[in-house]
Amino acid sequence: MERTQLSAIVLDLLEKETGETYDALDDSTTLNEGLGLDSLDMAGLILHIESHFGIQIETELLDKIKNIGQILDTLEEKIATKEGKLAFLDFGMMSETPETARYAIIDHVVH
């Protein structure tokens, strides 16, 4: 999904959450000062985003999100991972897996 599409969806979810109408979102627009979101608005927006995209945004990431660009960056990363465009195996953990299972896992992921 392209960033402009993500931005349009976030704008729609933001408007549903707050009941306000906003102009097109800019990456540098801050959530607190720029959009006037309080912690309750932010929590609601994140819940809408998670529900809409079927993802989970960890608390550690939430603490770092201060503007629209950071929300979009997080979404791009989460969606890419969910769609399988970006994936990696921890081969350190694979050493504890039986050899036949290890090859089956690798074969499944690679093909």
Side-chain angles (χ1 to χ4, degrees):
M1 183 175 295
E2 292 189 25
R3 194 172 180 93
T4 54
Q5 293 172 302
L6 288 176
S7 183
I9 292 169
V10 169
L11 176 61
D12 183 56
L13 295 173
L14 175 64
E15 290 178 344
K16 286 178 182 174
E17 173 60 29
T18 63
E20 302 288 329
T21 301
Y22 299 92
D23 294 329
L25 300 177
D26 182 73
D27 278 8
S28 62
T29 303
T30 58
L31 302 174
N32 293 84
E33 295 84 22
L35 297 175
L37 301 183
D38 60 21
S39 58
L40 189 58
D41 293 328
M42 184 64 181
L45 175 60
I46 294 301
L47 287 174
H48 284 301
I49 288 171
E50 289 177 331
S51 176
H52 182 86
F53 291 101
I55 61 170
Q56 183 176 2
I57 301 174
E58 295 79 13
T59 305
E60 305 83 49
L61 288 175
L62 290 177
D63 294 338
K64 297 176 184 177
I65 295 175
K66 305 294 180 206
N67 62 41
I68 294 297
Q70 291 169 329
I71 288 178
L72 297 177
D73 291 343
T74 300
L75 277 173
E76 286 176 328
E77 180 182 315
K78 292 287 184 178
I79 290 170
T81 303
K82 183 179 172 216
E83 292 177 353
K85 294 179 185 174
L86 173 66
F88 68 93
L89 287 175
D90 182 349
F91 285 100
M93 296 297 292
M94 294 286 281
S95 65
E96 298 178 23
T97 305
E99 187 174 355
T100 54
R102 192 176 324 144
Y103 287 115
I105 292 168
I106 293 169
D107 187 54
H108 179 73
V109 171
V110 173
H111 296 97

